[in-house]
Every structure is written in structure tokens, then in C-alpha cells.
Amino acid sequence: MQDLIIFRYSDLIWTGLNVTIRISILSMLAGVIFGLIIALIKGSKNTILSSIGYIFTELARNTPALVGIMWFTYVFPQLFSIKIPVFWTAWMALTFQTTGYMSEVFRAGIEAIGKEQRYAAKSVGLTFYQEMKLVILPQAIRIMIPDILNQFVVVFKTSTLVSVVAVRDLMYQAHRLSSQLYQPVEIYTSVAVIYILIIFGLSILVNLIQKKYKIPGY
Amino acid sequence: MNKKKEPLLEVKNLHKYYGREKILKGINQKIYKGEVVTLLGRSGSGKSTYLRCIHLLEEFSDGEIILDNETLGYTENNSQRKPLSSKKRALQRTEIGMVFQHFALFKHLTALQNLMLGPINAKNIPKNIAREKAEKQLDKVGLLHKKDSYPNELSGGQRQRIGIARALIMEPKLMLFDEPTSALDPELVHNVLEIMKDIADEGMTMIVVTHEISFAREVSSRVSILDKGKIIEEGSPEKIFSSPDHEITKNFLKAIL
Ligand SMILES: Nc1ncnc2c1ncn2[C@@H]1O[C@H](COP(=O)(O)OP(=O)(O)OP(=O)(O)O)[C@@H](O)[C@H]1O
Ligand SMILES: [Mg+2]
């Protein structure tokens, strides 16, 4: 066991894993927040606003992930003549895509709650913000948990692409070790196992969360 | 002094469109304090839409709704009609309570929490006081022992009684009932109607959409017939049920009696 490359170079693996986890969580968090905002914009009665929301969603979901990463890394900073570390340009690309998907998840979740709940919330004097926070989202979240988890897994998988623009994630470290040590079979297999274990763990966690927040009699 | 009695609710020339379709075509109605008005009409005549407009749950394109001398939902500025701020509208909605056909209880909250949500968040009533009031209100509809149950653990009749309690706890000036018993099993209807009768007896002003003719007869002071977005006939229950003027009313009553 001790002889495995990933243990001999465990500090490199940890650094890489750390970057992978950080970029995934940060993109997911931002994607959830922006996704919610875009979903609310899409639900707006103002047709211009809602169209902008839908166009954004289509753009975000139809841009291939790698194209997005390249664009945000090599085009975006030039457009504004600024320097942005590759970690953050890659984060933007992942967030862009996640926002697109999450906005659809939120829109569907909010719509699933139905008109009567919204009327009832207004009826007892809640403002739009309170209605969302206290009535719609707590119910919608329960419906959306499987989709949100699924999206997190997608982000986690997609994050392997950021190594292409030299973000030093787990995949990047694997490339580097492999080209130094000429042991691609062992290195890539070990890394695959790490990715799979994490994704598997995530699924279990989500199942537990779902059970905990089940509404009695629902 | 020749002081004229002011109506609690005055609806003037109310118009409402859904898209291109005109749903309400100029409704005029005055309702006085303590009155119980039964609203009858065929499916699709606009009864629910009318109640929702009064409660500001839907926008309306033209007309005015005045509750207790306050114009609801819009202001007139140099003859420019403008919607009020959403905060102001939320506050105005607390003056009116509504009971829904399918209960519309908050499914993720217990019976007690359902009642406490409005007082705490819309009226800024402290939690412990809101809880006390909610328990009292639940007791009134006979469901204090179910305070920790979730809506889906309750029967339809119990849910509707909680729906009524949730509206009453806001201490509204006007209560709107949109077919409160039509989603209930027949044996549960009576109980809900009894509670509505008690509320009426306590002097609450009510507009009730219902097909329960016995309730309309015994409890309401007035019956209004809505057809294709207009009130075509109004009168005392005796008058409407025994000798209506309008042909449409006669046909409608024949169908439901
Ligand atoms: N959200 C909506 N969008 C478009 N049209 C609507 C909407 N809600 C109601 N309508 C239409 O408005 C008309 C009146 O509907 P409303 O629900 O007010 O009738 P109602 O008298 O309450 O009927 P019912 O007895 O079936 O409840 C109907 O033709 C209906 O199709
Ligand atoms: Mg209706």
C-alpha cells in the first residue's frame, strides 16, 4: 500500500484535491445563488426581463464546458484588459454553466409548488421576498434536492477540464506525475478511484439529507 | 345629521382581462359591515377571479376597490393609475382573509406554524404572543389537539378548518370563501359550514362562493348572481331562490337545486 504513487506523492495529491474541491464547491455555491436569481428573472411578468433570463439559460447550457473555460480564460480578461488568475476564470466558466442548469432546476421547482400556495402566502400578508423564503423555496428545495445533487456531481466531473488551462487541480497533478514517472496506468487508475469514491460519498450524503427533511405525510 | 352609512367594501366598475379575454366586465357592488353575501354563478363565470381581485391576488385593468375608505392596490395620480408598492399591497391584504377551495395550507409547516406565519411576518407580532393566539384560534375550530400535525396528516375537513383559522387569526375586516366545502367528502361539509355560520354570527363581513344552497338560504343576507363577468341579479335569499327575475338565474338554480 505504502508504495502506491498516490501515497508517496500524497502532498501533491492533496494539493490537487484541495483545488478540485474548492473550485467545485465555489462554482456550485455561485451557481445556486445566480441560478435562483435567473430563475426569478425568468418568472418575471416583465416579458423583456424574462426573455433575457431565458436567453442567458440557453447560452449557458449550450456552450460546451471546455469552450467556456477557454473563453473565460483567454477572451474575457482581454475584453476588459484585466488580469485574472486561471483559477478564477475557470471558476467563472463552471459557474456560468452551473447557473444555466440551476436556473432551470429552480424554475421547475418553484413552478411545481403551484398557484394556490402562492395565493395563500400573499393572503396572509407576506411580501414577495417572504413568500419565496418562507413558503415557496422550503417546499421547492425538497423537490429539487436530487437535481441539485446531480448538478454538483456534474460540476465535480466537469472540473477535471480546468487542468487544460493549468489550474492545478487533481487532474493536473495526475498529468504531471504521470509525465514525470511514466506510470500512467497506476496514476490514472488511482485518481479515477478517488473521483469515484467522492462522488459515491456525495450520493450517500444527499440521501441522508433527503430523509432528514422529508415532510411527514408528504 | 344625515349621516349615510358607508359600505365596508365598495367595488366600482371592476374589469379584468386574462390576456385578450375579458373575464370581469364591470362589476359594481357595495357590501356593508356584517353582511354575508353568497356569490353564485356557473363554472367559469368569474367568481374566483372576482374574489382574487378583491384580495389583490390578481391585477385588474380598470375599476376601483375600496375597503373601509381605502383604495386597494392602486393610486390615482393626476388621473394616472399606478400600482401601490408591493409592501403596501401586502399590508392591505392582511385586512382581508381568504379560504381556498383546496385549502392551500403550507404543506411544510404544522397546523400551528401555518397560523403563526402571517402574524409573525406580516404583522410583526412576537412569537410567543402569536403562538398563544394561534392556539386559541385552533381551539376555536376544535383542532388544538392537532396543532403539531402537518397538513397531509389531516383529513380534508380538518384542513379546511385550519384554513379558516389561518385567515381569521389575521383579524381581517372581510372574509372571502371560495367554494370552501366543494373539495370535501359530504360527511365533512356540515362541520365546516357550522364554523362559517359561527363566524357570521359573530358579525364578520363575508363573501361566500358556494353551491351549498341551505347555507346561502339560512346564513346569507344577500345572494348575488354572477354571469359572464357581470352581476346580473342581487337580492335577499328568499327573493332569489323563490322568484328570481332573470332567466339565467332561473336556469342556473334549476340546475343546482
Ligand atoms: N390564470 C388564468 N389564466 C387565464 N385564464 C384564466 C385564469 N384563471 C381563470 N381564467 C379564466 O377566467 C374565467 C373565469 O374563471 P374563474 O375561475 O374565475 O371562474 P369561476 O366562476 O370561479 O369558475 P368555477 O366555478 O369553475 O370555479 C374562466 O374562463 C377561466 O378559464
Ligand atoms: Mg372558482
Side-chain angles (χ1 to χ4, degrees):
Chain A
M1 269 301 258
Q2 305 264 345
D3 292 340
L4 282 176
I5 295 168
I6 54 164
F7 289 114
R8 275 194 278 136
Y9 291 87
S10 64
D11 47 341
L12 270 188
I13 296 295
W14 277 121
T15 329
L17 196 56
N18 190 315
V19 171
T20 290
I21 290 173
R22 260 201 355 238
I23 202 163
S24 302
I25 290 181
L26 289 176
S27 319
M28 193 60 200
L29 278 180
V32 164
I33 294 166
F34 295 139
L36 176 58
I37 293 170
I38 299 287
L40 294 177
I41 288 175
K42 282 196 282 198
S44 160
K45 276 184 200 141
N46 182 328
T47 41
I48 296 173
L49 265 183
S50 71
S51 309
I52 291 174
Y54 278 103
I55 290 169
F56 177 91
T57 302
E58 285 313 308
L59 212 57
R61 293 198 308 178
N62 290 312
T63 305
L66 190 52
V67 174
I69 290 168
M70 293 300 194
W71 193 87
F72 275 97
T73 305
Y74 298 116
V75 182
F76 184 80
Q78 278 218 18
L79 281 183
F80 298 94
S81 331
I82 40 174
K83 273 195 121 118
I84 309 173
V86 284
F87 178 89
W88 291 108
T89 59
W91 168 80
M92 283 182 203
L94 291 182
T95 298
F96 178 62
Q97 192 184 55
T98 311
T99 300
Y101 281 104
M102 287 311 300
S103 77
E104 272 303 285
V105 170
F106 275 111
R107 189 191 56 78
I110 290 170
E111 273 174 16
I113 299 309
K115 254 191 154 162
E116 272 214 328
Q117 289 285 311
R118 310 191 63 163
Y119 285 144
K122 289 198 177 72
S123 180
V124 297
L126 301 191
T127 59
F128 177 75
Y129 172 74
Q130 291 172 327
E131 170 189 332
M132 281 295 153
K133 184 180 135 203
L134 301 169
V135 175
I136 307 303
L137 290 177
Q139 295 184 62
I141 289 285
R142 290 168 163 98
I143 299 174
M144 297 182 309
I145 280 177
D147 291 333
I148 294 177
L149 167 76
N150 191 33
Q151 187 57 34
F152 190 62
V153 173
V154 170
V155 173
F156 200 75
K157 289 182 193 165
T158 312
S159 77
T160 53
L161 293 174
V162 304
S163 58
V164 173
V165 292
V167 175
R168 294 162 183 234
D169 73 332
L170 181 57
M171 206 58 206
Y172 176 91
Q173 304 295 4
H175 280 309
R176 221 177 82 180
L177 277 179
S178 158
S179 55
Q180 276 173 11
L181 306 174
Y182 305 107
Q183 301 263 19
V185 174
E186 186 191 330
I187 291 169
Y188 285 121
T189 306
S190 317
V191 167
V193 169
I194 295 176
Y195 274 111
I196 289 166
L197 281 180
I198 291 175
I199 290 166
F200 189 64
L202 270 176
S203 321
I204 292 176
L205 189 71
V206 167
N207 267 330
L208 288 177
I209 294 173
Q210 238 170 323
K211 283 215 181 83
K212 183 162 186 295
Y213 288 102
K214 200 172 167 337
I215 303 169
Y218 218 71
Chain B
M1 279 282 285
N2 186 10
K3 194 173 165 240
K4 255 187 129 171
K5 209 177 141 199
E6 296 273 343
L8 176 75
L9 178 79
E10 182 168 8
V11 178
K12 289 183 191 167
N13 197 29
L14 179 65
H15 287 263
K16 160 82 185 163
Y17 288 83
Y18 272 126
R20 289 267 170 85
E21 207 184 339
K22 201 170 190 179
I23 306 297
L24 301 180
K25 303 169 185 166
I27 296 187
N28 291 287
Q29 196 168 40
K30 285 182 187 174
I31 295 177
Y32 293 88
K33 202 166 179 311
E35 267 197 297
V36 176
V37 176
T38 296
L39 193 60
L40 294 177
R42 284 190 296 214
S43 178
S45 57
K47 304 178 298 290
S48 300
T49 306
Y50 179 41
L51 295 190
R52 286 185 204 131
C53 285
I54 294 175
H55 202 8
L56 299 178
L57 298 178
E58 293 283 356
E59 304 286 330
F60 46 94
S61 51
D62 203 0
E64 200 180 356
I65 299 173
I66 303 164
L67 180 75
D68 211 7
N69 292 315
E70 191 183 345
T71 299
L72 300 185
Y74 300 87
T75 52
E76 197 97 6
N77 229 340
N78 314 325
S79 73
Q80 274 276 73
R81 188 168 178 267
K82 271 201 193 136
L84 290 173
S85 74
S86 62
K87 259 224 156 92
K88 180 80 187 136
R89 282 183 163 198
L91 202 65
Q92 289 185 333
R93 286 190 196 105
T94 63
E95 310 260 279
I96 297 176
M98 183 146 172
V99 175
F100 299 86
Q101 181 173 5
H102 301 287
F103 327 123
L105 295 184
F106 306 126
K107 290 185 194 152
H108 60 304
L109 301 178
T110 64
L112 196 69
Q113 291 167 337
N114 262 274
L115 267 66
M116 289 166 63
L117 197 70
I120 291 174
N121 296 287
K123 291 192 149 179
N124 292 318
I125 291 175
K127 240 184 188 154
N128 54 333
I129 294 176
R131 177 184 303 272
E132 253 171 56
K133 287 173 77 128
E135 285 177 350
K136 213 181 272 173
Q137 198 67 58
L138 278 180
D139 198 23
K140 242 178 117 176
V141 296
L143 287 174
L144 185 56
H145 62 292
K146 292 286 185 191
K147 67 176 178 168
D148 294 321
S149 299
Y150 285 86
N152 286 34
E153 299 171 317
L154 299 167
S155 75
Q158 290 171 332
R159 282 184 223 178
Q160 194 55 299
R161 278 143 73 192
I162 287 165
I164 293 172
R166 179 180 67 182
L168 283 179
I169 196 173
M170 301 300 287
E171 298 173 353
K173 294 173 178 163
L174 171 70
M175 283 282 286
L176 309 172
F177 294 82
D178 192 359
E179 305 202 31
T181 58
S182 58
L184 297 180
D185 294 335
E187 72 272 16
L188 301 173
V189 170
H190 175 76
N191 212 289
V192 170
L193 290 179
E194 278 301 302
I195 287 173
M196 288 168 60
K197 188 169 180 305
D198 290 344
I199 298 167
D201 287 343
E202 283 171 19
M204 178 61 76
T205 313
M206 302 165 45
I207 304 179
V208 184
V209 176
T210 183
H211 294 307
E212 296 293 330
I213 296 306
S214 64
F215 178 86
R217 247 188 234 284
E218 289 159 32
V219 183
S220 60
S221 42
R222 189 181 351 157
V223 178
S224 304
I225 309 292
L226 194 65
D227 188 66
K228 296 193 184 125
K230 275 193 150 168
I231 293 182
I232 55 165
E233 181 163 11
E234 275 195 298
S236 67
E238 300 81 50
K239 159 83 181 147
I240 296 288
F241 291 126
S242 55
S243 56
D245 292 331
H246 221 290
E247 204 55 39
I248 294 173
T249 313
K250 286 177 197 163
N251 290 334
F252 173 74
L253 291 175
K254 225 183 276 166
I256 62 168
L257 283 177

